[in-house]
Amino acid sequence: MTPVPTRAGRREWTALAVLMLPLLLVSMDVSVLYFAIPEISADLDPSGTQQLWIFDIYGFVLAGLLMTMGALGDRVGRRRLLLIGAVAFGSASLLAAYADSAETLIAARAILGIGGATLMPSTMALVRTMFTDPAQRAKAIGMWSGVMTAGIALGSVMSGVLVEHFWWGSVFLVNLPAMALLLILGPVLLPESKNPAPGRFDLLGVPLSMAAVLPVVYGLKELPSEGWNVRYVVSITVGLLFGALFVHRQRTSASPMISPALFRGHGFTPALVLNTVSAFGMMGAAYFTTQYLQSVLGRSALEAALWSLLPSVLIGVAAPVATALVQRGAERAYVVTAGFAVAAGGYGLLTLAGTDSLWLVLASCGVLAAGIVVVMSQLTDLALGSAPVEKAGSASSLLETGTEFGGALGMAVLGSIGTAVYRHGVPQDAPAAAQETLGGALTVAAGLPGRAGDALATAAREAFTDGMRGAAAAGALLLLGAAVLAARGLRNIRVRPETAAQDPETAAQDAETAAQDAESAGHADSLSTSGA
């Protein structure tokens, strides 16, 4: 029997506010070490390799486990997995805050990644189950998207403030009150939901998914800084080969981790692809603008982080406006198309930047971010609305994994374009370090006497700005192409309430299971009423 969508009340909206806490903290932890690393280096004395792992291990583990945790939440219960993840995240935060060695901090960051991988798909899946009314779900997902995007910017600023007034471990201790609140209020406010007939867990799919995701993400993240090194190309190739094996496993397994039926949902596949493209655009720009504020304009790290908060103002407006337009009858395809066009306009503004264009760069970042948040909020709503409730965790994890891939690919491709233009613009007789990166050039210039150092620094800043403009032009073209695809590929796609709840294949399976197993029937009944 098809469940009738019910409108969420005060309880569900309060529960959403509780869910925003772990989401905010997980997204903040991506950038929370930006200002803490100098004090960490002085206190723990990590090697260069250890320092890289302190930064990167969190994101790698998070990306590698998203699909596993999404599928696991569908089986054991999303609320249960969320609370387990909160315990892991809080415990790891405490361990990281008082780490007495680099090895301990790396281990703690890895556990934080595991906890984050349980929290992110669980929060999105619970939003899907709590808000069964399409209009309310769209509003909730718009808020979800805005909080996730703002958290990354807020993390670096909070890091700078806390390190300035306390010690570096305080950047992790801020996680504890929020996790404690989640553990107290979660069991009271959040409904439990899971797939009533999940089948056996695909144990082989776990290592295959990690072997597919981790090498690709690693290779893509390293390419912008070191170029097309053979090691990173091999890493990406190996990941793609394991990805092919993972896809084959999911298509042939009797009980796959990621059901192929998800991709038959009306609108799910185009939403997943276009969402990945939007992440490409967002992170590709971030790679340049953060360096521009610090190395070209000469702002301190904290000043740069504070300035970077200004574009976030538009993020809070963009998603609600887009949701309101769709609810008033605007075609979703055209709203997403407009979002991509606006984001492309942000890149267009960036092509006009010079070496002293603070406000122009901030405006371009704001326009770009607003367009991307419009796109992401609408595509997330479309993807989750197209997926059956019992597979909400898997659908959420696929969206998050696509975001990780898109962001890494954006940094790799646009970063490589910018680096190529930079190396062409730097004087060819400059030292090798100056020809590699802007940071290297400024270091070399600081050691040169008088006008020679000033000339090199000026040339390097101009070359970097040229590279940023070239990458921005490429980003604008990509997003304009995505706008065309959205206009054509999303036209007339609407999620009807009855199809949002269950697809025919799943409904038949659930009916058979309910007749054979009373316990499964009880789970199905609780799932149907969890949104009330």
Side-chain angles (χ1 to χ4, degrees):
M1 182 177 178
T2 301
V4 178
T6 56
R7 290 187 63 80
R10 183 178 300 174
R11 178 190 182 94
E12 285 76 20
W13 289 108
T14 304
L16 178 64
V18 174
L19 285 177
M20 294 297 100
L21 290 174
L23 174 65
L24 180 66
L25 293 174
V26 170
S27 57
M28 283 172 54
D29 261 44
V30 173
S31 56
V32 78
L33 290 186
Y34 283 177
F35 299 117
I37 201 66
E39 288 199 13
I40 291 174
S41 298
D43 193 10
L44 303 183
D45 193 27
S47 66
T49 301
Q50 287 175 328
Q51 182 169 308
L52 288 175
W53 278 113
I54 289 171
F55 262 118
D56 293 337
I57 191 67
Y58 174 79
F60 289 154
V61 173
L62 177 70
L65 287 176
L66 280 170
M67 285 190 287
T68 298
M69 294 305 181
L72 186 62
D74 288 342
R75 285 163 171 79
V76 305
R78 291 112 189 192
R79 184 183 68 182
R80 178 183 298 176
L81 187 64
L82 179 73
L83 297 179
I84 292 173
V87 172
F89 202 84
S91 302
S93 298
L94 190 62
L95 177 63
Y98 294 101
D100 57 0
S101 67
E103 292 82 1
T104 302
L105 183 55
I106 291 170
R109 290 277 288 170
I111 300 172
L112 281 169
I114 296 173
T118 67
L119 294 172
M120 293 191 75
S122 294
T123 56
M124 188 186 289
L126 284 168
V127 169
R128 172 70 176 90
T129 58
M130 289 192 302
F131 296 91
T132 58
D133 178 76
Q136 290 187 320
R137 185 184 64 237
K139 290 180 180 178
I141 289 176
M143 295 171 62
W144 193 97
S145 302
V147 168
M148 182 181 66
T149 306
I152 297 176
L154 185 60
S156 59
V157 176
M158 181 172 287
S159 170
V161 173
L162 289 174
V163 169
E164 185 173 338
H165 293 90
F166 303 99
W167 94 109
W168 62 264
S170 62
V171 303
F172 297 107
L173 290 183
V174 293
N175 297 335
L176 298 182
M179 293 301 144
L181 189 62
L182 177 61
L183 290 171
I184 294 171
L185 297 180
V188 178
L189 294 173
L190 299 175
E192 183 59 284
S193 64
K194 61 181 178 180
N195 189 343
R200 298 178 60 185
F201 189 68
D202 184 15
L203 292 176
L204 181 59
V206 174
L208 284 178
S209 66
M210 294 186 69
V213 173
L214 291 177
V216 175
V217 172
Y218 169 72
L220 290 175
K221 285 191 174 183
E222 295 300 322
L223 281 178
S225 58
E226 299 193 30
W228 292 89
N229 188 297
V230 174
R231 180 168 68 254
Y232 305 135
V233 174
V234 170
S235 178
I236 294 172
T237 303
V238 169
L240 292 176
L241 291 175
F242 275 108
L245 291 175
F246 176 73
V247 171
H248 177 74
R249 169 71 180 178
Q250 301 312 295
R251 296 183 65 180
T252 57
S253 174
S255 181
M257 177 190 297
I258 304 295
S259 173
L262 272 176
F263 296 91
R264 294 195 290 270
H266 194 49
F268 183 83
T269 300
L272 179 63
V273 172
L274 290 171
N275 189 69
T276 302
V277 174
S278 66
F280 180 108
M282 178 65 84
M283 295 307 296
Y287 175 78
F288 290 98
T289 54
T290 53
Q291 293 185 70
Y292 179 87
L293 291 174
Q294 293 184 69
S295 298
V296 176
L297 296 183
R299 309 294 185 194
S300 69
L302 183 56
E303 284 180 315
L306 290 172
W307 278 113
S308 67
L309 282 179
L310 283 180
S312 301
V313 174
L314 292 177
I315 294 175
V317 178
V321 169
T323 300
L325 289 174
V326 173
Q327 291 176 356
R328 292 181 181 179
E331 177 73 38
R332 190 195 300 268
Y334 299 142
V335 174
V336 174
T337 299
F340 273 123
V342 168
Y347 267 128
L349 286 175
L350 200 57
T351 63
L352 305 177
T355 55
D356 189 19
S357 304
L358 172 63
W359 290 105
L360 179 63
V361 169
L362 292 177
S364 69
C365 290
V367 173
L368 173 65
I372 292 298
V373 168
V374 166
V375 169
M376 284 187 164
S377 62
Q378 291 303 308
L379 293 178
T380 301
D381 181 45
L382 175 60
L384 291 184
S386 302
V389 174
E390 59 271 18
K391 294 183 175 66
S394 297
S396 303
S397 67
L398 281 173
L399 281 170
E400 292 297 333
T401 303
T403 299
E404 293 291 330
F405 271 122
L409 188 61
M411 293 178 69
V413 174
L414 298 187
S416 297
I417 292 173
T419 299
V421 174
Y422 169 81
R423 290 174 179 171
H424 180 75
V426 172
Q428 298 303 303
D429 58 350
Q435 296 184 33
E436 290 296 319
T437 64
L438 174 58
L442 295 179
T443 300
V444 171
L448 295 178
R451 294 182 178 179
D454 293 340
L456 177 59
T458 300
R461 290 189 176 101
E462 291 176 350
F464 179 86
T465 305
D466 289 342
M468 182 176 70
R469 288 197 294 261
L477 291 175
L478 174 74
L479 295 182
L480 287 175
V484 174
L485 291 177
R488 301 179 64 177
L490 300 180
R491 188 178 303 165
N492 299 323
I493 293 180
R494 290 183 175 85
V495 179
R496 298 185 299 273
E498 60 269 20
T499 59
Q502 283 186 318
D503 59 16
E505 176 183 334
T506 304
Q509 181 185 23
D510 289 351
E512 180 181 354
T513 304
Q516 295 175 349
D517 191 325
E519 182 180 357
S520 293
H523 285 315
D525 182 66
S526 66
L527 176 64
S528 299
T529 59
S530 63

